[in-house]
Amino acid sequence: MALHWLTLVAAIWLQCINGTNSNFPAYSSHLKRILSISQLKLNNLASANDAGKLFGWISGVAASYFPLWLVLLIGSLLGLIGYGVQFLFLTNQAHSLSYWHIFFLTVLAGNSICWINTVCYIITIRNFPFDRQIAVGLSTSYVGLSAKIYTDIVDVAAPASLSERAKLFLLLNSVLPLLVCIVVSPLARDVNVGKSRKLTRGFFTMFVISIITGLFAVITSLRAVVSGILPSYMILAGMLVILSLPLIVPMAEKMTEALQHKCLIVAVHDDEGFTTTLDEKAKDVESGRKNSIVVEGGVVEEVAPLLMLRRVEFWLYFFVYLFGATLGLVYVNNLAQIAESRGCSGTSSLVSLSSAFSFFGRLLPSFLDYFYPRSKRMVTRGGAIGVMMGPMCGAFFLLLDRQDVSLYVGTAIIGISTGAITSLSVSTTAELFGTKNFGVNHNIVVSNIPIGSFLFGDFAAVFYNRDRNQGHICMGQNCYQTTFILWGSLCLFGTFLAFILHLQTKKLWSHKSSTRQISVTDH
C-alpha cells in the first residue's frame, strides 16, 4: 500500500513541473521584441503553445504499447528540445532561427506536456479506480502551482532583469521536467494492490497538505504584502519543503504495514494454533479482489476513439470544454498583454495568482467527492462543469471595469473555474467513454484547446491591433473590451450546453447504476 501512495506522490511531483505552457506570458513580451513581430503573430505563438495537443493522441497510443516510464522520458526529451533551442536563441547561441522555427519548437514543447499528462492520468485512474476523481483532482491540482514554482525559482536567480528572467524561464522549462521525470520514472507503473473504496486517512492527510500548499502559494503570490517580510529565497525554500510533505502518507502507510505484519504473525501462531504464511493469506485476499468489479460510478462502457466521435455526448462535451476551460487558458495566455494595456505592472504577480487559484480550482471537485460522494448527488460531471462555468462568465464581464482590483479578482475567479473544469474533465472522459482507450480519447477531447486558442486569441489580437495608440502597444480599457464581451457571451453559451449535456447523460448514469447491481450479482 505504501507503493500505492508513492505513485500518487510521483504524479503530484510530475504535475508540479508540467505546467510549462503557463509560463508563456512571463517571456512572451521579450520574445515579441527580439523577433520584431506583431501582436497577431505573438498570439499565433501562444496558439502554437497549445497546438501540440492536436498530436496528444500519439502519447495515448504510445502508452498502450510502451512502459509508462518510457512514455514519460520521451515527453521530457521533447520538452528539452522544444524549450532548449528557444533558450539558445534568446542567448544568441542559435542565430539563424526564424519566426516559423520558433513556432514549430513551441508546438513541440506543447506536445511534450501531453506525454507527461497522459502518464499521470493513467497512473491515478488505474491505481485508484474507486476514488478516481479524488486522486486525479489531487494530482492535477498541483499543475496549477507550476507557474508559481517556476516564478519563485526565477525570483531568486534573476530578480531584476526582464531579459534574464525570460531566458531563465525557458531554461527551467527545458531542464526541470527532464530531471523530475528521471527521478520518478521508477514509480510510473500500475501497482497491483488492494483497491478499497475511500482510503480515508491517506486522502484526508493529502487534502490537509494540499490546502496548506495552496494557501502558502496564494499568500506568497501577493508580492506587495510579503516582499518586505520574506525574502525570495525563503519563499522558494518554503515551497520546496511543502512539496515534500505528501511523502508523509506513504511513510505512515509503510510504518502501519510493518506494525500489522508483526501483529498478524502473532495472531496466526497464538490464535489459530498453526502456521499459515503471510504469503498464503495475501494470495487468498488477492484472489477475492480479482473476483470483484473495480469501477467508479457503475459499469462503464468502453468506447473506441472512432465510435466516440460519432456520439452526441462527445460533441456536447467538446464544445462545453471549448467555451469553458479553453477560454480560461486563452485568457492566461494573453494575461501579459492585458495587464500591459491596463498599465498594470504586476504581470508576474498576476501569473502567480492565476496559478495559485487554479490550484484550488483543480482541488475543489476532489474535495467535494471526498466529503459528498457522487452517489448522493443528482448532478452529472457535465452538470458540475456547467456550475463551475457560471462564475467564469461573470468574471469576464467584471474585467470590463477599469479598476486594478477587478483585474485581480477576475483573474482569480477564472483561475479557479478553469482549474475545476480541467480536473472534472478527466473523470468525465473516463465515465462517458471508459478507461481502456482513455489515453487517446482524452487527448482528442483536449485537442479543442489549440483550436480555441487560435480562434479566440486571434480575435483578441485583431481588436488589440485595431485600437493600439502608442506604436506597437495598445493602451487603455478599449484594447480588450470587445474581447471580454465576446468571451463572456461564449462562456454563457457553453454553460447552456453543459446543462444539455447534464440532461443527456443523466439517464445514462441511472442506467449504469442499475446495471452495476446486476453485474455484481452475476459475479
Side-chain angles (χ1 to χ4, degrees), residues 197-265:
R197 178 71 178 172
K198 289 289 177 291
L199 305 171
T200 309
R201 289 178 300 178
F203 280 130
F204 182 79
T205 304
M206 285 287 191
F207 274 126
V208 172
I209 293 171
S210 298
I211 291 172
I212 293 173
T213 304
L215 289 174
F216 181 84
V218 170
I219 293 172
T220 55
S221 294
L222 305 175
R223 301 291 178 187
V225 177
V226 302
S227 58
I229 303 174
L230 292 176
S232 297
Y233 73 89
M234 289 189 65
I235 295 176
L236 176 60
M239 180 61 72
L240 294 178
V241 170
I242 288 177
L243 290 177
S244 67
L245 291 181
L247 285 172
I248 292 175
V249 176
M251 290 173 62
E253 191 63 40
K254 187 66 176 177
M255 294 174 62
T256 302
E257 288 176 356
L259 182 61
Q260 290 177 344
H261 186 277
K262 292 180 180 179
C263 293
L264 186 55
I265 290 177

Side-chain angles (χ1 to χ4, degrees), residues 133-144:
Q133 179 60 67
I134 299 176
V136 167
L138 275 167
S139 60
T140 58
S141 64
Y142 280 81
V143 77

Side-chain angles (χ1 to χ4, degrees), residues 380-418:
T380 64
R381 299 290 186 198
I385 291 176
V387 171
M388 295 310 305
M389 289 175 67
M392 182 186 290
C393 301
F396 282 125
F397 292 113
L398 177 64
L399 291 170
L400 296 173
D401 184 77
R402 297 176 181 272
Q403 301 298 318
D404 283 351
V405 65
S406 299
L407 177 61
Y408 279 87
V409 172
T411 299
I413 293 174
I414 292 172
I416 290 176
S417 299
T418 303

Side-chain angles (χ1 to χ4, degrees), residues 46-66:
S47 300
N49 204 30
D50 296 319
K53 293 181 175 64
L54 287 173
F55 308 99
W57 57 270
I58 299 176
S59 64
V61 174
S64 301
Y65 294 96
F66 301 137

